[in-house]
Amino acid sequence: MRTPSLIKIIGVVVEGLALGAFLSACSGGGGSDFAALDSTVNGDKIPCSIKEKIPSNQTVKVSSIVGTTTSFNITPSTSSCQIFFYVNGTKVNTDSLSLVGIDSSALLAGANTVRVEASNDLGRDYYEWTVTKNTAPTCAKVSPAAGSINMVNTGTQLFTASGAGEAGETLRFSWLLDGQANAAVAETISGATASQGSFIANASLNGTRTVSAVVSDGLDSVTCSWTVAVGDDCSITAKTPDLASVRLAAVGGTGNYSVTTTTASCLVVWALNGVELTGTTASRTINSIDLNTGSNLLKAEVTSSSGNTSKSWTLVKNSPPTCNQSPPSSGSQASVGSPLALTANIVDSNGDAVTWNWFLNGLPVANPPVVIANGTNTTTATFTPGVGNIGYNSFLLMMSDGYDSATCPWNVQVTPTCTVSASSPVSTTVTVPSLGSTVNTFSITPSDATCVIACSLNGINLGNSLSMLNILSSNMIAANTLTATVSNSSSSGSATWTVTKNTPPTCASQNPASSGHIFGVGAVQPFVANITDPNAGQSLSFDWRLDGSPPGGAYFGISSGPSSSTGTWTSTSGQVGTHNLLVNVSDSYDTVACSWPVEVLRTCAVSSASPSGASLRVANLGSTNTSFGVVANDPSCVITWKLNGTTVSTGANFQDFLSSSMLTSNTVEAVLANSVSTVTRSWSVTKNTPLFVKVKLQSQTEIRLILEIPSPLICLPQMQIRTRSLILGPSMARRAPHFHQSLESATMRRPPLHLVLVRLA
């Protein structure tokens, strides 16, 4: 599709618009040439429509020659119409115009649509032309076939040209000499698709002339031309080099070829492999780039009215030597110290003897690091790289067959040899603790820092470029294989560890059992831990701890065997309280703790007691309350109160007893007990027997009190009897109304059974 590129408005070229067109604007009215179109001023009431159009035919065919302009014009119904033209949908004019000229360059090959639209506020109209861009005819030289010929100035030469046009077109032929009609050239035979012209030369036309046949279809025309040298008769008499075949190097090969003609002004037509070359001089330079691989035919020919003469050469474009190389030219790798063989089998399709040389990084190879071995059309370079060759190396085999040189290249990357320089742990058999949070460290040092490190645990990739691995025991199984590989593209090394996850020792039995244990101050208590370790050959160590610290030797003795340990504890008063006793058992990988929660208690004792005496007498009166109390030496001692062997209460420091609950003789006990001891504080309690008094009125002034003293009291060393008040009954009061109730007391030592105790005044 051709893109329109130029628009002309009233002869002014406006570049950058979408179409190439010649535009003219004409308005009606006044003294204009178009005054008859419309005399209505703006503001009229006439709808816009198209009255006339030019071309009047809807179908138009135009020339294909660029610069050919076709005009399109309409007459609108009113001057208020806005008129715009479009070519294949693209607007031609930006201002309203009734006439445009469209250049053929704005049209596509074949059919095009030119549309005009006219509109105002009252109406709109349009018209379309179908515009066909013509296809120019063709012209072909039939005879002579050569484009350049020679004529004697007295000879006649016939020329034949053929033409072809679109279907239905009538072609016209005309003949020109040097671009103009000339009587020396005339048409002798005319046909629908061919024409023959005759050129009659004379001395006045000596020199180089152009005979042309013009073919026209009425819109476009084309020309076929021959270059004619008019003068003496021409022929080729010799060639240089005078060889049938010439070899040219494939790269940069150049050959000069010439012919000798009878006249220096002869036109020589050169053809290479049947294709006519430009220029008609007697010499020609041929470059190998113009040749096909193998044999080519170069021909120099002189066409003359007396006949044709020619000379030819077979030009052989050399085939450079090639090589079948192993390994391929790219991708070769070698590690330091590892030999790499580069082999080339050389082939020359021309059968020439080939010589070659090896180069490394632009310099001839040397031994070391390269050793060359040659054979018939084969050569091998064995490259054993050293440290100085680390990196990229360029090998080049340069071959020559005497005409061309060719190369076989190799790019060889030399890498350091990757081995394991050091690894940790050094031993390949490793046991690790079973405790999941234990971090187990493995490391590897490659022989070169560029080596890539890859690690795997039980076949699972752990990542690359990790020279140190920290692996949790929780990520391991019972038996593991850990592999660390160092490698580059050409070498590798590895370290492998067989890793056994330890099985910890266990506390098979403890004596006493691991549950709570209590013993008293001063008691000697052995604690025994018996251990089972499923890992044969491991030695166990024992570490005893009391409340997190090693127990003192003064009170704690340790005795250990291969699979058991005994800690003997003699508790002291300073250790009263709760403790955590344990022994940590280690097999060098894992530790198990055998523990005992222990409580050391004091032996219960009475710190103080009330009453302080061991025996006492209490009143006989039943409501009499007698209080007993004890204080224990340790809070662990629980107090139990008993009366005559029967438990009354537990837990209180004090206990009250009513006389009504007692017998005549009683035992009150306070039993203090904890887990390690029991102590009893007891009282002998006698319930008192009351005195019986008989009152006898002896006289008006004396009342006799007769005491009946219980026999148990007779034995008392001294007895004091006090009477606070004397209450007289009604009959006594009547008989002794004037008695005072003041009392006297008497103290007697071993009184008789009858005694006047109180005298009344």
Side-chain angles (χ1 to χ4, degrees):
M1 178 181 293
R2 180 186 300 275
T3 301
S5 59
L6 188 67
I7 293 180
K8 298 179 183 178
I9 302 179
I10 316 179
V12 179
V13 178
V14 181
E15 296 182 350
L17 299 178
L19 294 172
F22 176 83
L23 306 177
S24 300
C26 303
S27 60
S32 160
D33 293 337
F34 300 93
L37 291 178
D38 185 29
S39 60
T40 305
V41 298
N42 291 336
D44 60 23
K45 302 299 182 180
I46 301 174
C48 187
S49 62
I50 297 173
K51 297 298 185 181
E52 296 181 5
K53 53 266 184 189
I54 299 173
S56 58
N57 292 331
Q58 188 178 20
T59 301
V60 181
K61 191 170 187 179
V62 299
S63 171
S64 64
I65 298 175
V66 175
T68 302
T69 300
T70 304
S71 297
F72 295 86
N73 180 29
I74 66 164
T75 301
S77 60
T78 172
S79 62
S80 65
C81 292
Q82 294 294 308
I83 304 169
F84 297 96
F85 288 83
Y86 300 83
V87 175
N88 296 324
T90 301
K91 183 184 285 188
V92 172
N93 53 311
T94 56
D95 296 324
S96 177
L97 297 173
S98 62
L99 172 65
V100 297
I102 299 177
D103 192 282
S104 291
S105 62
L107 300 175
L108 304 176
N112 299 263
T113 299
V114 176
R115 178 186 176 96
V116 61
E117 295 181 356
S119 64
N120 61 11
D121 293 340
L122 300 177
R124 177 183 297 273
D125 198 4
Y126 75 91
Y127 187 78
E128 289 184 347
W129 290 271
T130 299
V131 180
T132 301
K133 186 175 182 179
N134 182 56
T135 300
T138 60
C139 179
K141 294 179 287 186
V142 178
S143 176
S148 299
I149 64 173
N150 299 277
M151 287 183 64
V152 294
N153 54 18
T154 59
T156 299
Q157 179 66 49
L158 297 177
F159 298 88
T160 302
S162 65
E166 292 182 312
E169 287 184 337
T170 299
L171 300 180
R172 297 188 299 275
F173 293 85
S174 59
W175 291 87
L176 304 176
L177 179 64
D178 296 332
Q180 297 179 351
N182 191 301
V185 178
E187 185 178 48
T188 56
I189 301 175
S190 178
T193 59
S195 175
Q196 185 182 77
S198 173
F199 175 33
I200 301 173
N202 56 63
S204 66
L205 297 177
N206 281 353
T208 302
R209 304 295 176 181
T210 300
V211 176
S212 302
V214 179
V215 183
S216 173
D217 62 2
L219 289 174
D220 296 300
S221 60
V222 292
T223 301
C224 294
S225 298
W226 290 263
T227 299
V228 181
V230 179
D232 297 327
D233 188 35
C234 284
S235 63
I236 297 175
T237 58
K239 68 176 183 178
T240 303
D242 192 13
L243 299 172
S245 178
V246 178
R247 177 97 68 92
L248 274 74
V251 178
T254 299
N256 295 315
Y257 306 92
S258 63
V259 292
T260 302
T261 59
T262 55
T263 302
S265 61
C266 291
L267 299 179
V268 180
V269 176
W270 295 85
L272 180 61
N273 296 324
V275 178
E276 187 173 322
L277 304 177
T278 59
T280 56
T281 61
S283 62
R284 169 73 61 177
T285 299
I286 300 296
N287 298 315
S288 59
I289 194 173
D290 302 321
L291 302 177
N292 299 324
T293 299
S295 296
N296 299 263
L297 179 62
L298 176 64
K299 183 178 181 180
E301 184 174 16
V302 170
T303 300
S304 178
S305 52
S306 62
N308 296 345
T309 56
S310 64
K311 296 291 183 181
S312 62
W313 297 262
T314 298
L315 305 183
V316 178
K317 185 176 183 178
N318 184 58
S319 295
T322 61
C323 79
N324 297 319
Q325 58 189 110
S326 177
S329 60
S330 61
S332 294
Q333 294 179 334
S335 58
V336 172
S338 298
L340 174 67
L342 307 176
T343 300
N345 294 313
I346 301 168
V347 177
D348 188 86
S349 59
N350 303 113
D352 298 322
V354 178
T355 59
W356 58 80
N357 290 286
W358 286 90
F359 295 86
L360 172 59
N361 297 325
L363 299 175
V365 296
N367 182 13
V370 182
V371 176
I372 303 298
N374 294 320
T376 302
N377 291 331
T378 184
T379 180
T380 298
T382 300
F383 178 38
T384 304
V387 175
N389 299 114
I390 291 176
Y392 286 91
N393 296 265
S394 174
F395 269 88
L396 192 67
L397 175 66
M398 184 165 290
M399 306 168 291
S400 175
D401 61 0
Y403 295 96
D404 288 289
S405 295
T407 60
C408 282
W410 286 267
N411 290 318
V412 180
Q413 182 184 7
V414 176
T415 58
T417 300
C418 283
T419 59
V420 177
S421 295
S423 61
S424 177
V426 175
S427 175
T428 59
T429 301
V430 180
T431 300
V432 299
S434 66
L435 183 62
S437 60
T438 303
V439 178
N440 305 289
T441 300
F442 299 83
S443 66
I444 187 168
T445 302
S447 57
D448 190 87
T450 62
C451 298
V452 176
I453 303 173
C455 300
S456 65
L457 177 63
N458 300 323
I460 300 174
N461 183 28
L462 299 180
N464 294 334
S465 300
L466 298 173
S467 60
M468 179 175 291
L469 284 175
N470 293 317
I471 304 175
L472 291 173
S473 291
S474 58
N475 293 328
M476 293 189 177
I477 58 178
N480 305 267
T481 300
L482 175 63
T483 301
T485 301
V486 295
S487 65
N488 55 22
S489 55
S490 60
S491 63
S492 65
S494 65
T496 300
W497 293 272
T498 299
V499 183
T500 300
K501 189 174 182 179
N502 184 59
T503 302
T506 59
C507 292
S509 65
Q510 295 176 232
N511 187 20
S514 60
S515 57
H517 185 72
I518 301 172
F519 70 109
V521 172
V524 177
Q525 177 63 55
F527 294 87
V528 180
N530 295 306
I531 308 302
T532 299
D533 187 9
N535 303 292
Q538 290 182 342
S539 297
L540 301 179
S541 63
F542 301 90
D543 178 25
W544 286 88
R545 296 279 163 165
L546 178 60
D547 298 329
S549 301
Y555 60 86
F556 201 91
I558 299 173
S559 175
S560 299
S563 60
S564 67
S565 183
T566 300
T568 303
W569 183 4
T570 303
S571 60
T572 66
S573 59
Q575 295 171 333
V576 171
T578 58
H579 303 273
N580 183 41
L581 176 66
L582 63 83
V583 57
N584 292 314
V585 184
S586 174
D587 61 2
S588 299
Y589 299 102
D590 291 289
T591 300
V592 64
C594 306
S595 63
W596 295 264
V598 178
E599 184 175 7
V600 176
L601 300 177
R602 289 186 176 89
T603 301
C604 288
V606 176
S607 297
S608 62
S610 176
S612 59
S615 62
L616 70 157
R617 183 183 298 275
V618 298
N620 184 270
L621 183 63
S623 61
T624 301
N625 200 15
T626 304
S627 181
F628 295 83
V630 292
V631 175
N633 66 332
D634 193 83
S636 65
C637 298
V638 178
I639 303 172
T640 301
W641 291 94
K642 295 182 179 182
L643 177 61
N644 299 322
T646 300
T647 299
V648 175
S649 67
T650 300
N653 288 86
F654 293 90
Q655 180 65 47
D656 294 336
F657 293 95
L658 290 171
S659 292
S660 60
S661 65
M662 292 187 179
L663 304 175
T664 301
S665 296
N666 302 271
T667 300
V668 174
E669 294 176 306
V671 181
L672 287 66
N674 59 16
S675 299
V676 298
S677 65
T678 300
V679 65
T680 301
R681 173 69 160 89
S682 62
W683 292 265
S684 293
V685 181
T686 301
K687 186 176 181 180
N688 188 53
T689 301
L691 299 176
F692 295 96
V693 181
K694 293 182 179 180
V695 180
K696 183 178 180 181
L697 183 62
Q698 290 291 103
S699 65
Q700 293 295 324
T701 61
E702 182 179 91
I703 296 174
R704 186 175 295 273
L705 300 179
I706 302 171
L707 300 180
E708 294 182 1
I709 300 173
S711 57
L713 299 181
I714 299 302
C715 61
L716 294 177
Q718 181 176 352
M719 180 178 63
Q720 184 178 24
I721 299 173
R722 290 181 181 274
T723 301
R724 293 176 180 261
S725 62
L726 178 64
I727 300 174
L728 301 178
S731 61
M732 183 69 70
R734 286 195 300 269
R735 296 173 63 186
H738 303 292
F739 286 172
H740 294 287
Q741 295 185 16
S742 60
L743 303 178
E744 293 180 357
S745 63
T747 301
M748 295 156 285
R749 188 179 301 271
R750 298 188 182 276
L753 293 178
H754 298 279
L755 176 68
V756 176
L757 180 64
V758 178
R759 182 178 296 276
L760 300 178

